[in-house]
Amino acid sequence: MKPMKATVMSVALIVLSSLPSLSQEVQKSTADQPKIFAQKLLNQTMTRHPDVVIMAMHVTPPGKSGNVIIASNIGRYGKKADEDDQRVIDTGKSNLEVNKKGNHFEVECTLQDKSGKTIGAVGIVFNYKEGDDKKALEKKALEIRDEMKAQTPTKAKLFEAVNW
């Protein structure tokens, strides 16, 4: 290969490898993810909704007293719930927030089982720019939550071991 062509190819590979995934801005390797139903459900949901850039489930594991991240596309597994997460769970009211940079809109809402019982919280984040319809993004997030609800018979199901 000629030196100029090799240099161009090398630069192109470096640039392409540094770009985020088109469907998920911060997708973690599946090798690093917990092998539980909650993570599988989250991955499948994000595949069906490429406009969701970040998603995290906050649930209290069996036999534990604290609510933590059990599934996400950004890692942070085991991170304790913060005040906002717990407030959503306790009140049932969604938390809607534009991040400090102004480029993401997060809808944090209750995570529910098939019967409608609150079993945790789920943060669903979309790309955002000023003027985007926040109500439409909230509606979309609740629809996504309800899709997961339909596939979650119980909280215990979220912790069942799965194979990819």
Side-chain angles (χ1 to χ4, degrees):
M1 195 179 286
K2 294 181 180 175
M4 179 68 126
K5 190 173 183 180
T7 302
V8 169
M9 292 293 284
S10 295
V11 169
L13 285 173
I14 291 168
V15 169
L16 288 174
S17 68
S18 68
L19 290 175
S21 163
L22 294 176
S23 64
Q24 291 117 11
E25 204 168 90
V26 195
Q27 180 64 49
K28 293 291 183 179
S29 163
T30 56
D32 300 335
Q33 296 175 345
K35 303 293 188 264
I36 59 173
F37 178 76
Q39 186 66 53
K40 183 176 181 178
L41 178 61
L42 184 140
N43 291 350
Q44 291 171 340
T45 301
M46 289 195 69
T47 298
R48 283 192 309 277
H49 298 281
D51 52 336
V52 174
V53 294
I54 299 172
M55 188 183 298
M57 291 183 185
H58 304 263
V59 181
T60 302
K64 305 288 182 180
S65 60
N67 186 293
V68 297
I69 292 178
I70 64 162
S72 80
N73 71 314
I74 57 169
R76 301 183 190 165
Y77 309 111
K79 178 184 175 284
K80 292 177 91 173
D82 62 25
E83 186 181 311
D84 289 347
D85 306 323
Q86 198 58 52
R87 185 174 55 249
V88 167
I89 295 165
D90 293 343
T91 68
K93 294 181 182 178
S94 296
N95 186 47
L96 311 174
E97 184 175 356
V98 175
N99 69 343
K100 289 179 185 177
K101 287 184 177 180
N103 64 344
H104 286 154
F105 183 72
E106 178 180 5
V107 178
E108 184 152 20
C109 54
T110 57
L111 182 63
Q112 301 172 335
D113 67 14
K114 205 177 257 190
S115 73
K117 179 181 177 186
T118 296
I119 57 176
V122 60
I124 301 172
V125 180
F126 302 93
N127 281 323
Y128 176 82
K129 64 185 178 318
E130 193 168 334
D132 284 354
D133 187 344
K134 293 176 185 175
K135 286 289 183 198
L137 292 172
E138 178 184 16
K139 182 178 183 227
K140 172 87 175 179
L142 294 176
E143 290 168 357
I144 291 168
R145 184 269 318 264
D146 289 345
E147 287 176 17
M148 293 187 295
K149 171 183 172 178
Q151 298 177 65
T152 310
T154 62
K155 178 175 124 174
K157 175 73 174 175
L158 294 176
F159 295 93
E160 285 182 11
V162 295
N163 293 316
W164 313 116

